[in-house]
């Protein structure tokens, strides 16, 4: 080879080494200054002047996913020979340490360049394209290192640079996200890395890692990234898909991180303290006629979060809601309504929250609000933004229903007796006080008299009782519903609500068609029934004309099979179905209703109702017999 060619190659290699060292030195200054304006601009000006993409290319080359070792992260000891796996891992960790500040400096300079430079924008876009193309490899290395590198001395630094890389990929600080940002957000590996980073704990403090970046958020950069993902449709879909696809162990680990914090919050009586703090702030601000919008926006958000956590995560949300509303939290919610607008939410606002609606149909929750005057405050709330006002009207409808059921109709007789031969004209639940109702040793049935108990024992309950006693304490998927004095009242209230909805025109919640199939029948032989879901927030109710003696309403058809606790009560339910078939559809029909219980549990009420033509207009549809069970949703597609 000619000597001149050798010299040219030698000079090119020397220039390449010099540029690499110069870039390393400038990038080190960027790291030390935490990406200050001066050091970031000096670094980017140099690589642009050199038209250098080799520095980024060499860095990305070290992050090839094929180089990831099989097994745990190799850690070398002083004086020992380095293995190939250790060398590859060391180079990858060094590349990640360079990649974070590289893009932090690049994006900071591009977004603060005055006047804007087309050359700089082009260079930044090209670098970002290269990063997106290599992102699956980089994400795999980040996941591998963070899952195995908790003992590394620079563990927090690795989390920090990984956060910088994610910020560079998925956000565009000065404006809307670019196509490249959206493309990176939609990748499943982006969700994987984000979840792993969110779970990293700083071993020196014992707290989750938190990084403040002025690049894209005034708070924690990780929370800013998560918010950015949720605000983008493709980002939300990526997060949702990954949560669905991950293993049960991984999902539990993610959720346990938050549940442990919540359990500690409850253990330290945080719910009562949080409620007292919000109520005190609200009362003081209201007394001083405080008009600070930012204050009331924060109050609305805090109130909504507390209500959500209590309803979703506490064992007995009814008890908690009663305590909080006694403390004045509902009053705090009413005062924050005007500042609860959130355009990104499903209903355009966060207060009043739809998930609270089912609990306004519970007597204990309603009575606290009714006796304290909070319902009057809600009714006289004044002007509200359109979206808030629309949700308030739904709440007002539910409150009006509860007033009619628990106040106006409290003397209406309700048939609660478990005896299927109990006549609707005999002594009813009003004449027999709840405290005087009789039950059996299995505590799963209730009778109005000893005569009814004796008759039902001979007909059905002698077998049911033995099954109930055998299964109590042995069930894993459902729990037998044990009758207590408090539960007697709950069951009476639920039957009263069923009768009220069926007699109301139009119905206050959607009434849907359903099918109840017997074990020995096909679905085309199933019996029709009406479905009433009091456990879900019905935010819209279709208007219908007078339903007449048989209110077959709603277009949706759902199927109910015998499963769980239904098997124990199968003879009784089949007897109700047979009685209805014998009596005909003109005046008798079946109902399956669901009410909220504890945690994710529901009370299922299967009832037979009769249309009485000569009764008062709002009492013509009467529940004759009913069966109560506790379990999960049993609707089949």
């Amino acid at each position: 080879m000619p000597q001149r060619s050798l010299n040219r190659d030698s000079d090119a290699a020397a220039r390449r080494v010099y540029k690499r060292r110069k870039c390393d030195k400038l990038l080190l200054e960027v790291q030390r200054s935490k990406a200050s304006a001066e050091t970031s601009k000096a670094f980017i000006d140099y690589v642009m002047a050199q038209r250098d993409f080799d520095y980024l290319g060499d860095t990305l080359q070290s992050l090839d996913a094929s180089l990831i070792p099989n097994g745990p992260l190799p850690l070398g000891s002083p004086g020992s020979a380095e293995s190939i796996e250790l060398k590859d891992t060391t180079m990858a960790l060094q590349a990640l340490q360079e990649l974070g500040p590289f893009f932090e400096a690049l994006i900071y300079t591009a977004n603060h360049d005055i006047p804007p430079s087309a050359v700089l924008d082009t260079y930044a876009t090209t670098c970002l394209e290269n990063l997106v193309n290599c992102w699956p490899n980089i994400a795999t290395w980040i996941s591998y290192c963070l899952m195995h590198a908790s003992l590394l001395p620079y563990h927090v630094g690795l989390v920090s640079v990984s956060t910088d890389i994610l910020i560079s990929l998925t956000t565009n600080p000065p404006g809307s996200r670019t196509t490249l940002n959206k493309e990176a957000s939609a990748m499943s590996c982006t969700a994987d890395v984000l979840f792993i980073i969110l779970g990293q704990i700083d071993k020196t403090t014992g707290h989750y890692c938190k990084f403040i970046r002025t690049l894209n958020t005034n708070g924690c950069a990780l929370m800013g990234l998560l918010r950015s993902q949720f605000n983008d449709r493709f980002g939300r879909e990526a997060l949702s898909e990954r949560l669905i696809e991950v293993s049960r162990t991984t999902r539990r680990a993610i959720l346990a991180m938050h549940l442990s914090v919540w359990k500690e919050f409850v253990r330290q009586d945080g719910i009562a303290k949080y409620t007292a703090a919000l109520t005190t702030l609200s009362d003081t601000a209201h007394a001083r006629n405080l008009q600070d919008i930012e204050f009331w926006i924060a109050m609305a958000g805090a109130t909504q979060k507390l209500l959500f956590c209590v309803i979703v995560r506490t064992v007995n949300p009814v008890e908690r809601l009663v305590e909080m509303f006694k403390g004045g939290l509902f009053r705090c919610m009413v005062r924050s309504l005007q500042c609860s607008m959130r355009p990104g939410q499903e209903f355009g606002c966060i207060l009043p929250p739809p998930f609270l609606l089912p609990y306004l149909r519970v007597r204990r929750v309603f009575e606290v609000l009714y006796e304290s005057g909070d319902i009057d405050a809600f009714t006289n709330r004044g002007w509200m933004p359109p979206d808030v006002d629309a949700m308030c009207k739904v709440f007002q409808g539910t409150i009006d229903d509860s007033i009619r059921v628990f106040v106006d109709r409290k003397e209406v007789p309700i048939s609660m007796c478990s005896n299927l031969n109990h006549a609707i004209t005999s002594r009813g639940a009003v004449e027999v006080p709840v405290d005087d109702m009789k039950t059996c040793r299995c505590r799963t049935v209730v009778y109005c008299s000893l005569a009814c108990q004796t008759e039902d024992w001979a007909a059905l309950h002698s077998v049911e009782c033995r099954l109930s006693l055998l299964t109590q304490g042995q069930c894993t998927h459902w729990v037998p519903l044990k009758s207590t004095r408090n539960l007697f009242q709950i069951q009476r209230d639920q039957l009263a609500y069923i009768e009220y909805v069926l007699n109301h025109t139009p119905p206050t919640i959607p009434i849907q068609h359903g099918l109840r199939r017997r074990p020995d029948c096909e679905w085309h032989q199933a019996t029709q029934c009406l479905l009433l879901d009091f456990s879900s927030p019905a935010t819209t109710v279709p208007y219908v004309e007078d339903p007449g003696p048989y209110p077959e309403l709603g277009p949706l058809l759902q199927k109910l099979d015998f499963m769980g606790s239904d098997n124990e009560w199968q003879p009784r339910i089949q007897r109700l179905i047979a009685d209805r078939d014998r009596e005909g559809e003109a005046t008798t029909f079946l109902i399956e209703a669901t009410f909220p219980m504890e945690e994710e549990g529901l009370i299922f009420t299967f009832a037979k109702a009769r249309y009485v033509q000569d009764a008062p207009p709002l009492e013509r549809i009467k529940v004759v017999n009913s069966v109560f069970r506790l379990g999960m949703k049993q609707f089949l597609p």
Side-chain angles (χ1 to χ4, degrees):
M1 181 179 294
Q3 185 67 31
R4 183 176 302 176
S5 177
L6 289 174
N7 291 338
R8 282 200 301 268
D9 293 341
S10 177
D11 292 343
R15 287 195 298 270
R16 187 182 180 90
V17 170
Y18 174 79
K19 287 194 295 183
R20 178 77 191 189
R21 291 178 177 175
K22 179 68 173 181
C23 287
D24 287 340
K25 182 178 180 181
L26 292 173
L27 193 59
L28 181 62
E29 293 298 323
V30 173
Q31 291 176 293
R32 289 174 176 174
S33 66
K34 297 182 178 180
S36 67
E38 294 78 9
T39 57
S40 296
K41 190 173 187 308
F43 173 69
I44 297 303
D45 286 348
Y46 177 78
V47 292
M48 281 185 57
Q50 300 294 323
R51 298 180 181 179
D52 186 12
F53 291 100
D54 293 337
Y55 187 81
L56 178 60
D58 293 342
T59 304
L60 295 176
Q61 188 175 0
S62 302
L63 294 169
D64 189 339
S66 63
L67 302 176
I68 296 179
N70 295 321
L73 184 73
L75 296 174
S77 57
S80 62
E82 289 189 351
S83 63
I84 296 177
E85 290 82 2
L86 179 57
K87 290 181 179 179
D88 291 340
T89 305
T90 302
M91 292 180 62
L93 289 170
Q94 182 179 352
L96 290 175
Q97 296 286 350
E98 295 171 351
L99 206 59
F102 178 94
F103 278 96
E104 188 176 10
L106 177 62
I107 294 180
Y108 181 90
T109 305
N111 293 329
H112 292 80
D113 190 47
I114 301 176
S117 170
V119 177
L120 179 57
D121 290 342
T122 301
Y123 182 82
T125 301
T126 303
C127 290
L128 188 59
E129 287 176 350
N130 293 335
L131 180 64
V132 171
N133 292 334
C134 298
W135 175 234
N137 286 333
I138 301 170
T140 305
W141 264 110
I142 292 176
S143 302
Y144 173 79
C145 293
L146 290 180
M147 293 295 288
H148 295 87
S150 59
L151 298 179
L152 289 176
Y154 45 85
H155 169 242
V156 175
L158 180 59
V159 178
S160 177
V161 296
S162 301
T163 304
D164 290 336
I165 296 171
L166 267 181
I167 289 175
S168 305
L169 270 173
T170 60
T171 61
N172 186 31
S176 60
R177 303 207 302 175
T178 65
T179 303
L180 288 172
N181 296 145
K182 294 179 180 179
E183 179 183 345
S185 296
M187 294 182 181
S188 59
C189 56
T190 303
D192 292 340
V193 172
L194 181 56
F195 285 142
I196 293 173
I197 292 178
L198 286 170
Q200 298 299 305
I201 295 178
D202 186 346
K203 64 181 180 180
T204 60
T205 63
H207 298 153
Y208 292 105
C209 294
K210 177 180 180 180
F211 305 104
I212 305 298
R213 297 284 189 272
T214 58
L215 182 62
N216 73 322
T217 176
N218 294 325
C220 175
L222 294 175
M223 292 299 101
L225 280 172
L226 191 59
R227 188 182 306 113
S228 178
Q229 282 288 101
F230 275 116
N231 288 339
D232 179 72
R233 179 170 66 89
F234 298 105
R236 285 195 304 272
E237 291 176 356
L239 292 176
S240 177
E241 289 176 2
R242 298 310 289 164
L243 281 175
I244 292 173
E245 292 175 4
V246 296
S247 66
R248 182 180 301 177
T249 303
T250 303
R251 191 182 300 113
R252 285 179 177 175
I254 295 171
L255 297 177
M257 174 180 69
H258 304 286
L259 290 177
S260 60
V261 176
W262 173 254
K263 289 179 180 178
E264 182 64 19
F265 179 78
V266 174
R267 189 187 70 81
Q268 296 188 17
D269 200 21
I271 295 176
K273 295 175 182 177
Y274 203 126
T275 300
L278 289 175
T279 304
T280 302
L281 286 170
S282 172
D283 290 344
T284 303
H286 181 72
R288 297 180 181 179
N289 195 26
L290 183 65
Q291 302 296 324
D292 187 348
I293 294 178
E294 293 297 327
F295 170 82
W296 289 111
I297 289 176
M299 289 291 291
T303 303
Q304 187 264 355
K305 286 182 174 63
L306 180 59
L307 287 170
F308 177 80
C309 290
V310 165
I311 289 175
V312 172
R313 291 183 173 172
T314 53
V315 175
N316 193 341
V318 171
E319 295 287 343
R320 294 293 187 178
L321 288 173
V322 168
E323 295 172 2
M324 293 192 301
F325 290 163
K326 283 183 178 179
L329 189 68
F330 193 86
R331 184 172 63 252
C332 175
M333 183 194 78
V334 174
R335 291 170 179 167
S336 306
L337 287 174
Q338 290 188 356
C339 295
S340 63
M341 291 289 295
R342 301 292 190 277
Q345 297 291 322
E346 180 180 1
F347 300 101
C349 60
I350 59 174
L351 294 179
F355 50 78
L356 182 60
L357 278 170
Y359 296 92
L360 297 180
R361 303 187 184 104
V362 179
R363 176 185 289 273
R364 295 186 60 203
V365 176
F366 167 78
E367 287 181 343
V368 169
L369 300 177
Y370 187 78
E371 294 169 0
S372 65
D374 289 346
I375 285 181
D376 293 335
F378 181 82
T379 303
N380 302 319
R381 58 190 175 272
W383 179 88
M384 292 291 159
D387 288 339
V388 178
D389 188 58
M391 184 57 65
C392 285
K393 289 179 180 178
V394 176
F395 265 70
Q396 189 66 58
T398 303
I399 290 172
D400 292 342
D401 292 344
S402 294
I403 291 175
R404 297 187 184 100
V405 172
F406 299 134
V407 180
D408 300 343
R409 294 166 53 90
K410 65 180 180 181
E411 301 298 330
V412 175
I414 302 294
S415 177
M416 290 183 58
C417 188
S418 297
N419 180 20
L420 299 188
N421 294 323
H422 170 89
I424 194 172
T425 55
S426 65
R427 292 177 78 225
V430 173
E431 291 78 15
V432 179
V434 170
D435 291 347
D436 294 338
M437 298 292 287
K438 302 183 182 302
T439 185
C440 185
R441 59 175 179 168
C442 67
R443 304 181 67 82
T444 58
V445 288
V446 58
Y447 302 101
C448 64
S449 65
L450 181 60
C452 274
Q453 183 175 3
T454 303
E455 185 176 11
D456 190 59
W457 178 266
L460 287 168
H461 194 58
S462 58
V463 177
E464 294 171 345
C465 187
R466 288 193 293 270
L467 289 174
S468 296
L469 293 174
L470 286 173
T471 55
Q472 286 176 14
Q474 302 176 8
C475 303
T476 57
H477 301 292
W478 57 273
V479 180
L481 191 60
K482 292 187 177 183
S483 297
T484 62
R485 291 181 178 180
N486 181 49
L487 192 56
F488 290 162
Q489 184 64 60
I490 292 175
Q491 291 173 349
R492 185 199 181 279
D493 293 339
Q494 292 175 356
L495 293 177
Y497 236 113
I498 290 173
E499 288 188 1
Y500 168 75
V501 170
L502 293 178
N503 283 288
H504 193 276
T505 306
T508 55
I509 69 168
I511 303 178
Q512 300 172 335
H513 286 260
L515 291 177
R516 166 64 80 170
R517 181 177 68 170
R518 302 182 199 180
D520 55 345
C521 296
E522 299 296 332
W523 280 113
H524 69 273
Q525 299 172 308
T527 302
Q528 288 190 358
C529 63
L530 303 180
L531 307 180
L532 285 77
D533 189 359
F534 293 93
S535 63
S536 300
T539 54
T540 59
V541 178
Y543 181 85
V544 294
E545 300 296 335
D546 187 350
Y550 196 85
E552 295 189 37
L553 310 175
L556 188 60
L557 180 66
Q558 295 186 357
K559 302 175 182 179
L560 298 97
D561 211 346
F562 284 92
M563 58 176 62
S565 59
D566 274 353
N567 291 326
E568 179 184 347
W569 299 102
Q570 188 177 130
R572 187 175 293 269
I573 294 175
Q574 290 202 61
R575 167 75 182 278
L576 289 177
I577 296 175
D579 289 348
R580 183 261 189 185
D581 292 341
R582 185 179 62 254
E583 296 172 11
E585 298 182 2
T587 58
T588 307
F589 49 94
L590 301 175
I591 305 155
E592 182 74 76
T594 54
F595 292 87
M597 188 62 177
E598 297 178 355
E599 292 184 313
E600 298 180 354
L602 299 172
I603 293 182
F604 291 88
T605 305
F606 187 76
K608 183 180 74 172
R610 182 176 293 128
Y611 183 81
V612 183
Q613 180 65 42
D614 299 333
L618 296 180
E619 299 179 23
R620 289 178 178 171
I621 298 178
K622 297 292 297 182
V623 172
V624 182
N625 303 110
S626 56
V627 181
F628 294 91
R629 300 96 70 214
L630 182 64
M632 306 298 293
K633 279 190 178 296
Q634 301 178 32
F635 293 153
L636 301 178

